[in-house]
Amino acid sequence: MSIHLGANCYGKAECRLVRVDRDGPRHRLTDLTVSTSLAGRLEATHLTGDNADVLPTDTQKNTVYALARHGITAIEAFGLDLARHFVSGPVEQARVTVEQHPWQRLGDHSFARRGDETRLAVVTADARGAWVVGGLTGLVLLNTTDSEFRGFARDRYTTLPEAADRILATAVDARWRFDGLDVGWDEAYDDVRAALVDAFVQTYSRSLQQTLYAMGERVLDRVPQVAEVRLALPNRHHFLVDLAPFGLDNPGEVYLAADRPYGLIEAAVLRDGAAPAGPSWEWAGR
């Protein structure tokens, strides 16, 4: 029987980093979670325990904080700086994942944490170049009408009634792949997020799949630097409560918001003729 080492990598996960810019009386707060992952000539450490080519994960953590001292603009730019720094010698490929946690400004130096929405960037670098994937999670959206679900397939186990008018709610998990690095990262993020929201609001939905495609299509229409969008949309079901036992009607006003189980709709929307993706692992975690 032949046995060999397969694909492998190692790194430091979830380094918590808060940077305060104090250039004037109005401070700027940046709250990040940074994970690094390195791959390369690692056969010796796996097969014989020889660590000569292993850059300690503690060193990777220290590098995150050291590079943060030079300033953080967009998280994509910070991820590029980190990934490129690590690619040398035995490290042939580096992936850096940066999550940005938003805070709402309350004053010149006061802030409040703003919900669960998180901005993401995944940067991969190797000898060929670098690739950037932007993203977000926890963007919760809801339409109270203009959504239906009818004409679906049925079998002996189908009990779901058709819905001519329903609440449509989801928590968007999105990734988008940039075609190149000549990008205004903050502007692109704002444009992508706005496109996702606008499409959700403006689409009459006959299925969550239709809404997903409209959201991805809107991003590609508005942001030419994006080559591909991948979306995962959980269907946050809202069930009309039966109030008849209490002698009450319920004309679409009182719902039970169920957290599980839930439908999960996933798809990619791609631009025709876009450059192919870089290393496949840049989509890891999705």
Side-chain angles (χ1 to χ4, degrees):
M1 179 176 63
S2 177
I3 299 174
H4 66 277
L5 177 67
N8 62 89
C9 57
Y10 75 106
K12 201 69 163 182
E14 299 189 18
C15 301
R16 294 290 292 117
L17 163 63
V18 173
R19 178 182 165 91
V20 181
D21 288 291
R22 306 175 182 272
D23 295 338
R26 188 174 177 84
H27 295 169
R28 177 173 175 265
L29 183 71
T30 304
D31 184 355
L32 307 178
T33 299
V34 182
S35 297
T36 59
S37 184
L38 309 182
R41 300 197 299 271
L42 296 170
E43 292 81 2
T45 187
H46 286 91
L47 302 181
T48 69
D50 181 350
N51 296 322
D53 289 334
V54 176
L55 183 70
T57 65
D58 188 69
T59 303
Q60 297 175 44
K61 177 258 296 178
N62 292 342
T63 305
V64 170
Y65 295 122
L67 267 62
R69 176 63 183 87
H70 300 301
I72 300 173
T73 54
I75 60 173
E76 293 86 353
F78 185 53
L80 279 166
D81 288 343
L82 283 167
R84 287 165 169 163
H85 171 88
F86 287 124
V87 177
S88 64
V91 178
E92 297 172 347
Q93 193 174 74
R95 184 184 69 217
V96 177
T97 301
V98 186
E99 304 171 55
Q100 183 168 20
H101 312 291
W103 288 79
Q104 178 183 355
R105 182 178 293 281
L106 302 178
D108 284 347
H109 54 267
S110 301
F111 303 84
R113 184 71 166 84
R114 194 178 73 230
D116 295 327
E117 185 178 336
T118 301
R119 176 177 172 179
L120 302 172
V122 181
V123 179
T124 305
D126 62 17
R128 295 172 292 167
W131 298 263
V132 177
V133 172
L136 60 81
T137 62
L139 171 59
V140 179
L141 302 173
L142 184 149
N143 284 331
T144 57
T145 190
D146 284 349
S147 174
E148 62 181 62
F149 188 54
R150 298 189 284 187
F152 46 82
R154 292 182 175 274
D155 67 14
R156 61 185 294 191
Y157 299 115
T158 301
T159 60
L160 182 71
E162 293 193 343
D165 187 12
R166 65 173 182 170
I167 287 178
L168 183 67
T170 189
V172 179
D173 185 351
R175 303 290 186 278
W176 49 89
R177 178 169 58 88
F178 289 101
D179 186 8
L181 303 179
D182 186 17
V183 178
W185 302 115
D186 289 337
E187 180 182 3
Y189 177 82
D190 291 342
D191 289 345
V192 170
R193 187 186 184 282
L196 293 169
V197 172
D198 289 349
F200 181 87
V201 171
Q202 297 166 10
T203 300
Y204 183 97
S205 180
R206 292 175 173 82
S207 68
L208 188 50
Q209 287 89 337
Q210 178 193 15
T211 298
L212 181 153
Y213 185 81
M215 294 168 74
E217 184 180 41
R218 188 74 61 91
V219 170
L220 296 179
D221 283 343
R222 286 194 184 176
V223 189
Q225 302 96 329
V226 172
E228 178 180 359
V229 183
R230 296 191 180 189
L231 291 163
L233 302 183
N235 195 343
R236 292 195 164 187
H237 302 296
H238 289 67
F239 298 110
L240 200 64
V241 178
D242 180 9
L243 300 179
F246 316 120
L248 300 170
D249 65 353
N250 188 4
E253 294 181 352
V254 180
Y255 294 84
L256 166 66
D259 63 347
R260 64 196 62 177
Y262 53 87
L264 181 60
I265 313 303
E266 299 178 286
V269 184
L270 295 82
R271 189 184 304 281
D272 291 342
S280 60
W281 73 343
E282 73 181 35
W283 288 99
R286 266 288 300 112

